[in-house]
Amino acid sequence: MPCISLSPWRSEQPGSVIDSVPEKTMLPASIASLSSSVYAVSGNTTTRFLLFKSVHGQGEIFNEVSESELHPGDILLFPLDRSNNIIVQMIFRHAAVYCGDDEVIHFVATGTQRKRDVISSRTTSGVIAKEGLVKMVKERGKYLIYRKIDGVNLNDFRRKVKEAMNSEAEYCASKNNCIHFALSLLGLEKFSSELVQIQDEVDSSHSETREYVSLEFLFYKCVTGHGEIFEEVFSDNLQPGDILLFPLDRSNNTIAQALFRHAAVYCGDGEVIHFQGTESQQSPGVITKEGLVKMKKERGQYQVYRKKGGIVLNDFRHRVRKVMNSEATYDPYTNNCIHFALYLLGLQEFYSNLVSMELVSRLQWDGS
């Protein structure tokens, strides 16, 4: 579910609103009237950034830049929804941060939110994940780009991204939302999350129809036309292209754990990419990258299988980049996580549609 980007800054002087509004900023009457009520209800951090592109204690430190100049660390503001209400589009935004390689990282609520939760302290589950920028443009619409005037320290930014990918957080529209998350990656705001503890341990643990592909791989670690080309390796020696098999659920049913698996592929830098089904009719399948440590905590111990003879890294990275901006319909028999994993290694077909890159050039703001 889209997150609500409207939240208060926790002021050192609770209830003080006047001090939070830059005096030099002039707004259209309709916006100013709305913004005054917004401030009165929900304070500063998110609203200050959305309306004035400033951060408390830092001042106005962001410049708007054009889409052709995207750099890692740029904050992208998408419409919260795609309605035709201009006021809603201007005020309410979903924030993501560009990571490079046409990928963005963002924080979204996964639980159910009600409209009144915009100004409440109600929390729900949240997820931190990377997605393809082109796909996100198609789903969310046109975006604006804001860059920190004095730039970002790329090493610090990448470290924070890596930590975030293996962190857990509760989403709160008023205290811990996508804006707080985006600003935290640039070192400008606190974001409440817990880093999943990393444990150094070694886990012990084309047929005539596409339905058989998954079973053939799960039982025999072979692929039709290629034979038995995988070997199990230890998890402390992961390499890009390794297939990780997680339990499909964490029940105590040994047979279920042995038979049913969820596949992900290691990309390097502590990240895995996977394909899973959703309950949404509009987006029946989703391709994302997630932190391996976090996924292990959520799904349990995994086994690692590596293609004998290795893979062509350039081809693998090309496919990963391509699918991050692709759409696919999940089918447990004919187009599932195992078809997806094998496709990334060049061993199986995967049914997906690449989102047209023309979308990016078409979706610029008027007058930009």
Side-chain angles (χ1 to χ4, degrees):
M1 173 176 175
C3 60
I4 308 298
S5 10
L6 181 63
S7 79
W9 166 66
R10 286 150 283 179
S11 173
E12 295 180 356
Q13 298 179 340
S16 174
V17 174
I18 297 176
D19 182 58
S20 70
V21 183
E23 295 180 359
K24 66 178 182 178
T25 304
M26 299 298 294
L27 295 174
S30 59
I31 302 297
S33 175
L34 177 61
S35 68
S36 63
S37 62
V38 167
Y39 272 104
V41 174
S42 52
N44 194 303
T45 294
T46 302
T47 314
R48 174 193 286 266
F49 178 75
L50 287 174
L51 292 179
F52 308 111
K53 304 306 175 292
S54 65
V55 179
H56 180 74
Q58 305 277 345
E60 190 174 340
I61 57 172
F62 287 92
N63 278 337
E64 185 175 354
V65 297
S66 70
E67 186 178 357
S68 61
E69 302 177 55
L70 265 179
H71 289 170
D74 288 348
I75 294 180
L76 281 55
L77 294 181
F78 294 85
L80 190 62
D81 60 51
R82 302 189 71 170
S83 70
N84 293 322
N85 188 316
I86 301 300
I87 302 298
V88 170
Q89 288 191 12
M90 292 181 67
I91 299 296
F92 299 99
R93 295 281 176 166
H94 177 73
V97 184
Y98 187 65
C99 298
D101 293 327
D102 289 327
E103 295 178 0
V104 293
I105 186 172
H106 64 151
F107 176 53
V108 293
T110 57
T112 302
Q113 283 201 311
R114 301 161 296 181
K115 289 184 178 179
R116 64 177 177 270
D117 292 335
V118 170
I119 56 174
S120 78
S121 297
R122 180 177 179 268
T123 61
T124 185
S125 55
V127 63
I128 298 166
K130 286 183 179 179
E131 294 189 32
L133 171 58
V134 177
K135 184 177 69 171
M136 188 174 286
V137 169
K138 181 175 181 182
E139 293 172 351
R140 294 182 178 270
K142 298 182 284 190
Y143 59 89
L144 294 171
I145 306 168
Y146 289 92
R147 177 172 302 154
K148 192 167 176 284
I149 292 174
D150 59 355
V152 298
N153 184 309
L154 280 180
N155 288 335
D156 288 348
F157 170 69
R158 286 167 178 154
R159 175 181 57 80
K160 289 185 174 78
V161 168
K162 190 171 183 178
E163 289 178 354
M165 287 291 286
N166 280 308
S167 296
E168 296 176 337
E170 289 289 314
Y171 183 92
C172 177
S174 63
K175 297 179 180 178
N176 211 51
N177 60 34
C178 59
I179 302 285
H180 295 102
F181 175 70
L183 293 175
S184 75
L185 293 179
L186 305 186
L188 297 172
E189 173 67 16
K190 290 183 178 180
F191 177 72
S192 301
S193 64
E194 295 181 0
L195 185 65
V196 179
Q197 294 299 312
I198 299 176
Q199 298 179 357
D200 293 327
E201 60 180 71
V202 177
D203 293 330
S204 56
S205 56
H206 199 320
S207 66
E208 296 190 3
T209 64
R210 286 177 62 83
E211 287 89 339
Y212 186 65
V213 170
S214 300
L215 294 176
E216 184 180 37
F217 177 75
L218 287 174
F219 282 114
Y220 308 111
K221 303 304 177 294
C222 63
V223 180
T224 300
H226 298 277
E228 189 174 343
I229 58 172
F230 287 92
E231 57 184 350
E232 186 172 2
V233 297
F234 291 122
S235 62
D236 59 353
N237 187 31
L238 282 176
Q239 295 179 10
D242 287 349
I243 294 180
L244 282 54
L245 293 181
F246 293 85
L248 195 59
D249 60 55
R250 301 189 69 170
S251 68
N252 293 323
N253 188 319
T254 304
I255 295 178
Q257 288 192 8
L259 293 181
F260 301 103
R261 295 281 178 163
H262 178 72
V265 184
Y266 188 65
C267 297
D269 294 326
E271 296 179 359
V272 292
I273 186 171
H274 66 146
F275 175 56
Q276 56 188 338
T278 69
E279 297 179 357
S280 170
Q281 294 298 316
Q282 294 181 339
S283 179
V286 61
I287 298 167
T288 57
K289 284 183 181 178
E290 295 186 30
L292 171 57
V293 177
K294 184 179 68 173
M295 186 176 286
K296 180 181 176 182
K297 182 176 181 181
E298 294 171 350
R299 294 181 177 269
Q301 294 181 326
Y302 56 86
Q303 292 175 300
V304 185
Y305 289 91
R306 181 171 298 156
K307 184 174 178 289
K308 295 177 182 178
I311 62 171
V312 180
L313 274 178
N314 286 339
D315 291 348
F316 170 70
R317 287 170 177 153
H318 169 75
R319 291 189 183 98
V320 167
R321 187 170 182 177
K322 178 180 177 181
V323 297
M324 284 293 286
N325 281 305
S326 296
E327 296 175 336
T329 299
Y330 186 92
D331 185 289
Y333 304 104
T334 62
N335 211 50
N336 60 32
C337 60
I338 293 179
H339 295 104
F340 176 73
L342 294 175
Y343 160 77
L344 292 178
L345 274 56
L347 298 171
Q348 177 65 30
E349 289 184 351
F350 177 69
Y351 299 147
S352 64
N353 295 317
L354 184 65
V355 179
S356 174
M357 294 297 291
E358 294 177 0
L359 283 166
V360 174
S361 60
R362 292 208 314 265
L363 293 176
Q364 291 195 5
W365 290 98
D366 292 340
S368 63

